[in-house]
Amino acid sequence: MMGNNYEWLRQNMVEKQIRARGITDKRILDAFYKVPRHMFVGPDQKPLAYEDHPLPIEHNQTISQPFIVALMTEALQLKVNEKILEIGTGSGYQTAILAELADHVYTIERFERLSRSASTLLGELGYNNVTYRVGDGTKGWPEQAPFDRILAAAATERIPPALLEQLDTGGKLVMPVGDPGGQQLIVAGKDSSGKITRENLGGCRFLPLVEEIDS
Ligand code: SAH
């Protein structure tokens, strides 16, 4: 398929799947217009890259549905200068969207191969405000903390305490929480006194965050 067809499919995705469902922030829509989602999936999946559902990537993982990526991004309420921690780099698609909107993204992925291909692709696309780490994201990235925003694209039964600790005051964290049967998309905030607030954006379905057990 020609590049301009992808551009047309991408515009359609933004209009029908994102804007029509109520996400109207121009900066967010522009980021979705710009990031070439078909480059983040394998050859077989490219014709489906702009469809309204998640797609498989390597290691039995998935790249989230475009609307879900947009919803989580909107929930972060980015201004421009945030330092973000992302858990679950995966294909790097959400990473690229965040890199368009914030100052710097620190992203952690447990599979080295996924991390490496995401960093190669994002490098080729010109994103130089992203730092990659291979490891267990449930422990956060203490050397770089605190973070203005934290986003995790995989679910745990409760928000990992390390992530709440590494969230700056005034910060926001968005992630799916709950067991596989009943996950909710949660936005947690930390107010100026350090108190944690919680808002529920509704039901969702993500793969689990796999916690590494220290030996
Ligand atoms: N945002 C990604 C989708 C990620 S799917 C994208 O846009 O493509 C969730 C990812 O989280 C997977 O790549 C999975 O390997 C990773 N993951 C699962 N548990 C993890 C953990 N404990 N630490 C870091 N990454 C983890």
Side-chain angles (χ1 to χ4, degrees), residues 36-127:
R37 184 168 160 97
H38 63 279
M39 293 181 73
F40 293 79
V41 296
D44 298 352
Q45 305 295 329
K46 286 193 194 298
L48 306 173
Y50 296 98
E51 307 250 313
D52 197 11
H53 48 69
L55 290 172
I57 56 174
E58 282 189 299
H59 286 298
N60 289 322
Q61 301 301 315
T62 59
I63 171 172
S64 305
Q65 178 191 8
F67 175 66
I68 292 294
V69 179
L71 187 67
M72 292 176 84
T73 303
E74 182 186 51
L76 289 178
Q77 295 181 2
L78 299 170
K79 304 286 183 283
V80 283
N81 53 3
E82 291 85 0
K83 177 177 172 186
I84 305 185
L85 174 65
E86 181 193 37
I87 318 294
T89 316
S91 69
Y93 179 69
Q94 169 91 69
T95 318
I97 296 287
L98 296 176
E100 286 282 345
L101 297 168
D103 182 58
H104 201 100
V105 184
Y106 293 85
T107 185
I108 309 179
E109 168 58 52
R110 61 190 284 261
F111 289 115
E112 184 172 4
R113 196 142 59 101
L114 288 175
S115 178
R116 225 190 281 139
S117 46
S119 82
T120 303
L121 176 58
L122 267 68
E124 284 166 10
L125 292 172
Y127 295 101

Side-chain angles (χ1 to χ4, degrees), residues 1-18:
M1 205 181 288
M2 304 288 290
N4 51 0
N5 274 338
Y6 282 128
E7 205 174 309
W8 185 83
L9 290 171
R10 188 156 62 246
Q11 281 175 13
N12 228 21
M13 171 192 88
V14 173
E15 295 306 325
K16 302 218 168 103
Q17 300 172 34
I18 299 177

